[in-house]
Amino acid sequence: MAQWMRRNQLFLGITLWSLSQCSSLFADVNGTGLSVSAAVDAVGAFKVGKDSKAKDTLEVREAELSLYAPIDHIFDGILSLAAHRESGMSLFELHEAVICSTKLIPGMSLRVGQYFLGVGRLNRFHRHDWPFISAPKVFSEFFGEEGVLDTGGEISYLVPTLFFLDITAGVTNGWVYGHAHNEGKKPKTPTHYLRMGTFLDPSDDLGLALGGNYLGRISSDGTKTQLFGLDGVAKWNRKSMSLLVQGETWLRQLEPEAGDEDVSLGSYLYQQVGFSKNFYAGFRLDYFTVSSLKDATGKKIHNAEYAVVPTVTYKTSEFATFRLAYSNSINTQEYQTDKINQSVQLQSIFILGAHPTHDF
Amino acid sequence: MIFNKLLFLVLIVSWARVATGKITVLTTTSDLKSITEEVGGTEVEVESFCQGAQDPHFLEAKPSYMQKTNHADLVIAIGLGLEVGWLSKVLSGGRNPNVMDGKNGYLEVGPLVQVLEVPKGPVSRADGDVHPEGNPHVTLDPIRVGQIGEQIAIRLSTLDFSHAEKYKQNAALLKARLENKTKSWQQRIDQTTLKKIVTHHKTLSYFFDRFGIQNVAILEPFPGVPPTAPHVLSVINTSAKEGVKLLLVENYFDDSVAKRVARDVPGVRVESVPVSVGGTSEIKNVDDLFENLVRKFESGKSK
């Protein structure tokens, strides 16, 4: 723990030093293309009902400092450090440290370093850029609360067809998977993943992006993990009105070297209406089940967790966001009493400095 | 078998592109598309990301734009921060090294003409969505459009020297025609005696500057920030005090707030106006765009 804290203090020191250099050299920043940004994401979760698991606190969930700039005429670099609230302290850790290029080979982009893996929808976006506060159950189960980041390499190829077809493939160390504060163990097969994305453009105001995903890994103890997923997002904008429909469905197979296979399936679907550039109202439906769950006799136990999460968003600009959500989840399992977890969530996000443009 | 079919499709697409022999140009706005089509004539194929009734500040970086960028020979943008929210993502997503910033295949025309409303002193987001490089709506002045045409001709000549003379002549014709029409448009606007206008956003600054019109109030309290009740009240007061007779709302904004102002200021006419080529089906080129704006003045002239 002490070593971990020392390491985090070192990260913080480097960050503050970097920022101090940036501000003192701000006149030169324009000449280097260096952009600096900070995103602060504060979240509160409050109990509704006696069985609620909410902590009744408001805390800074994440404060992320990012530097990005062209390194030279071929490569760009991204460095982001994030402080998370863990064990009562906000400690900095490395989020992304990537060298990347879209200029090296026509039609191809690549990145090497530590980054969020390019699979699915939510995992490709920083949490403060999500359209809702908390991770859907399927995402937190399969990718963690924030997403899977790891160190490795990723290439992406834009296939030269009349329609958009992008193929992304990557391999990362896979010593750990998801959020971890230890080195992990060398896996038998490193984390590897593939995403094929396409886009439909039926009108100027409307767009639909779809992706098919695979992620695999065999851990040091021989457990084979395979994830298969579909993701989609549709956006419609006209004048100040907007619509957003976003969803993901994932199937996970865990095959230990000895023992039964674990198969889980989950989805979420989020729909949001934007009444102006300030006000948005959305509604998320979550579903998750462990389809391989069996009793001692080998008989399947039906189980599912459902959640409904209505969310209201107010933005004074793209740099300041306030959200209010009500989460009601019901966990049902044969032969057991339903477990209900209700909470009210609050969120405020603000962004200082430059903010990179977003993917569709 | 499927692989063979895919390969065949890729080859057909690639062949079709080579066979046209034209310069493939992508523009960020429909005004730039219109100018480029006139300058490039039959030697270019032009598409615009932003359509006439869309706000170029807030376009989504659609993957379909990236796919088009991947095949483009030239991307023409306004610059001056207009496309800052989406174009860099489109260019990097297109993964076409020839049209990246700094290459011959990328041209920003805004900085090549005289720019208005360049902030003096430091700016911050407390001032709203201010463009530190100045107002980017440069294609709403017919004289600057002529100058932009010349710059596009120079860049097309760099990419296709064999038709350089043709590009130069086309740009000269465009410039001369717009200069002549500007004199006529000036006379017609002067006859309306409408010199004080309210708009939703500072989109028409270049048009107003050219024709000697004062933009006495803006419905947005700060650039890019939707109207607020206290600010609308101040616009009502200013409009009444200044004797404003015409309120122009760029047609990609909702005109309900403008109509609210008109209810409280006697004699004010609200007009929803296209501010880009293709903003309505009748606006087919830059001439139509300016002609339509002048007609809005004539139809709303004071009596």
Side-chain angles (χ1 to χ4, degrees):
Chain A
M1 183 67 179
Q3 188 184 0
W4 179 44
M5 283 181 64
R6 274 199 299 277
R7 192 184 67 189
N8 279 291
Q9 298 313 315
L10 179 62
F11 275 137
L12 180 59
I14 292 169
T15 306
L16 294 174
W17 178 83
S18 303
L19 289 174
S20 69
Q21 293 303 299
C22 290
S23 55
S24 63
L25 296 172
F26 224 84
D28 292 333
V29 166
N30 287 336
T32 63
L34 178 63
S35 297
V36 181
S37 78
V40 177
D41 175 8
V43 171
F46 302 93
K47 285 185 170 66
V48 177
K50 60 182 173 53
D51 297 325
S52 176
K53 293 176 186 169
K55 288 165 64 181
D56 283 341
T57 59
L58 178 67
E59 60 187 25
V60 175
R61 179 167 68 172
E62 193 172 279
E64 185 183 70
L65 296 161
S66 300
L67 308 172
Y68 43 99
I71 295 167
D72 58 21
H73 62 293
I74 300 290
F75 289 102
D76 298 322
I78 301 167
L79 173 69
S80 68
L81 306 168
H84 294 97
R85 191 78 180 161
E86 289 176 64
S87 307
M89 290 179 289
S90 292
L91 299 170
F92 272 85
E93 62 185 35
L94 185 64
H95 244 188
E96 290 177 291
V98 184
I99 181 169
C100 51
S101 179
T102 57
K103 300 171 185 170
L104 201 59
I105 304 167
M108 192 168 282
S109 61
L110 59 90
R111 55 179 177 166
V112 175
Q114 180 169 310
Y115 54 83
F116 285 99
L117 311 190
V119 289
R121 174 74 187 176
L122 292 178
N123 204 73
R124 293 184 293 126
F125 287 78
H126 289 203
R127 191 160 45 171
H128 60 257
D129 288 328
W130 292 358
F132 36 73
I133 300 173
S134 57
K137 173 77 172 174
V138 62
F139 188 81
S140 57
E141 283 289 327
F142 294 172
F143 298 91
E145 290 295 329
E146 191 181 13
V148 172
L149 54 79
D150 201 357
T151 307
E154 179 183 287
I155 58 168
S156 186
Y157 181 58
L158 185 59
V159 183
T161 52
L162 283 175
F163 58 97
F164 178 83
L165 179 62
D166 185 275
I167 299 173
T168 300
V171 179
T172 61
N173 290 334
W175 284 47
V176 293
Y177 180 81
H179 194 88
H181 289 134
N182 55 58
E183 194 178 31
K185 286 184 178 174
K186 185 180 178 182
K188 290 188 173 173
T189 302
T191 303
H192 52 284
Y193 56 94
L194 179 72
R195 181 175 191 273
M196 290 182 72
T198 190
F199 185 78
L200 304 173
D201 201 3
S203 74
D204 298 329
D205 303 322
L206 179 64
L208 171 63
L210 297 167
N213 306 273
Y214 167 78
L215 185 148
R217 171 179 182 257
I218 301 177
S219 65
S220 58
D221 65 6
T223 302
K224 183 179 181 182
T225 303
Q226 287 186 298
L227 285 164
F228 303 91
L230 294 171
D231 63 84
V233 61
K235 291 183 184 179
W236 175 86
N237 291 283
R238 184 171 293 171
K239 295 192 174 177
S240 53
M241 291 286 290
S242 63
L243 286 173
L244 166 73
V245 179
Q246 176 179 324
E248 290 180 69
T249 296
W250 288 92
L251 173 77
R252 184 181 68 182
Q253 290 178 308
L254 291 175
E255 297 175 42
E257 273 190 333
D260 293 334
E261 183 185 51
D262 179 312
V263 180
S264 304
L265 174 72
S267 300
Y268 76 89
L269 181 67
Y270 182 69
Q271 309 107 82
Q272 178 181 275
V273 179
F275 299 102
S276 68
K277 290 194 188 305
N278 303 121
F279 286 104
Y280 303 83
F283 190 80
R284 199 181 78 210
L285 297 168
D286 298 354
Y287 169 76
F288 185 81
T289 183
V290 182
S291 54
S292 58
L293 193 64
K294 292 173 184 163
D295 64 16
T297 65
K299 186 187 165 197
K300 181 172 179 174
I301 300 175
H302 293 284
N303 67 96
E305 184 168 337
Y306 304 92
V308 290
V309 189
T311 303
V312 179
T313 302
Y314 174 70
K315 289 171 177 264
T316 53
S317 69
E318 64 178 300
F319 307 106
T321 302
F322 302 91
R323 284 202 177 93
L324 170 66
Y326 165 72
S327 175
N328 184 1
S329 71
I330 303 171
N331 194 338
T332 68
Q333 188 171 316
E334 269 184 306
Y335 318 121
Q336 289 190 8
T337 312
D338 288 355
K339 292 173 188 162
I340 298 172
N341 184 18
Q342 295 169 299
S343 64
V344 170
Q345 299 166 349
L346 300 170
Q347 182 183 36
S348 78
I349 301 168
F350 68 84
I351 293 165
L352 304 176
H355 193 235
T357 50
H358 292 150
D359 283 316
F360 179 83
Chain B
M1 189 64 182
I2 291 171
F3 178 77
N4 287 341
K5 283 181 180 173
L6 275 174
L7 187 64
F8 178 72
L9 182 66
V10 169
L11 287 173
I12 286 288
V13 170
S14 307
W15 175 82
R17 289 182 188 287
V18 172
T20 63
K22 294 183 177 183
I23 300 177
T24 305
V25 185
L26 293 171
T27 63
T28 56
T29 70
S30 51
D31 296 353
L32 290 174
K33 175 177 184 273
S34 173
I35 300 166
T36 308
E37 282 176 335
E38 183 154 355
V39 172
T42 55
E43 309 307 324
V44 296
E45 272 189 357
V46 193
E47 269 193 84
S48 174
F49 294 130
C50 189
Q51 304 307 308
Q54 290 181 301
D55 184 349
H57 296 87
F58 298 109
L59 223 54
E60 286 278 356
K62 284 184 172 181
S64 54
Y65 300 163
M66 299 172 189
Q67 187 264 334
K68 288 172 183 169
T69 304
N70 183 254
H71 306 302
D73 300 306
L74 175 61
V75 172
I76 304 176
I78 296 288
L80 304 174
L82 181 70
E83 305 97 342
V84 71
W86 55 274
L87 185 59
S88 63
K89 182 62 74 178
V90 170
L91 292 177
S92 62
R95 284 160 269 185
N96 178 352
N98 298 325
V99 296
M100 299 283 184
D101 193 2
K103 296 294 179 107
N104 278 339
Y106 181 77
L107 173 66
E108 281 186 3
V109 297
L112 304 176
V113 297
Q114 189 193 353
V115 178
L116 299 177
E117 296 169 3
V118 180
K120 293 183 177 71
V123 293
S124 77
R125 291 201 188 122
D127 307 309
D129 186 17
V130 176
H131 297 277
E133 308 95 329
N135 188 316
H137 302 286
V138 292
T139 51
L140 280 160
D141 168 22
I143 300 302
R144 285 179 175 84
V145 166
Q147 296 163 357
I148 289 167
E150 288 178 325
Q151 295 296 332
I152 290 172
I154 292 168
R155 186 55 61 94
L156 288 174
S157 303
T158 307
L159 297 172
D160 174 23
F161 186 72
S162 62
H163 295 97
E165 195 56 36
K166 182 179 178 181
Y167 301 140
K168 191 178 171 186
Q169 283 174 5
N170 288 346
L173 285 171
L174 171 71
K175 189 178 182 189
R177 189 183 73 236
L178 289 174
E179 282 174 354
N180 280 333
K181 286 191 174 184
T182 298
K183 290 172 193 163
S184 159
W185 288 327
Q186 181 74 68
Q187 286 175 354
R188 287 164 59 190
I189 287 174
D190 288 346
Q191 283 169 8
T192 68
T193 69
L194 289 172
K195 290 290 178 184
K196 292 182 177 179
I197 307 292
V198 172
T199 59
H200 187 105
H201 179 73
K202 294 201 91 173
T203 313
L204 286 157
S205 296
Y206 288 90
F207 185 84
F208 291 164
D209 182 67
R210 178 60 56 197
F211 295 108
I213 297 156
Q214 260 186 286
N215 201 172
V216 294
I218 312 286
L219 287 174
E220 292 177 337
F222 298 100
V225 177
T228 57
H231 183 69
V232 170
L233 281 175
S234 79
V235 172
I236 289 169
N237 291 335
T238 304
S239 301
K241 187 178 152 194
E242 297 285 345
V244 170
K245 300 293 178 195
L246 183 60
L247 207 159
L248 295 176
V249 180
E250 302 84 340
N251 73 344
Y252 42 69
F253 293 119
D254 187 351
D255 63 1
S256 57
V257 176
K259 286 175 177 167
R260 166 75 186 81
V261 172
R263 278 209 302 272
D264 283 11
V265 184
V268 168
R269 179 189 178 95
V270 175
E271 291 277 5
S272 179
V273 286
V275 288
S276 295
V277 173
T280 60
S281 57
E282 297 82 34
I283 313 294
K284 299 188 187 309
N285 53 43
V286 284
D287 299 57
D288 292 345
L289 179 66
F290 295 119
E291 180 64 32
N292 184 67
L293 279 167
V294 173
R295 282 184 187 158
K296 293 293 180 190
F297 276 74
E298 290 176 326
S299 61
K301 67 183 166 188
S302 55
K303 299 193 171 90

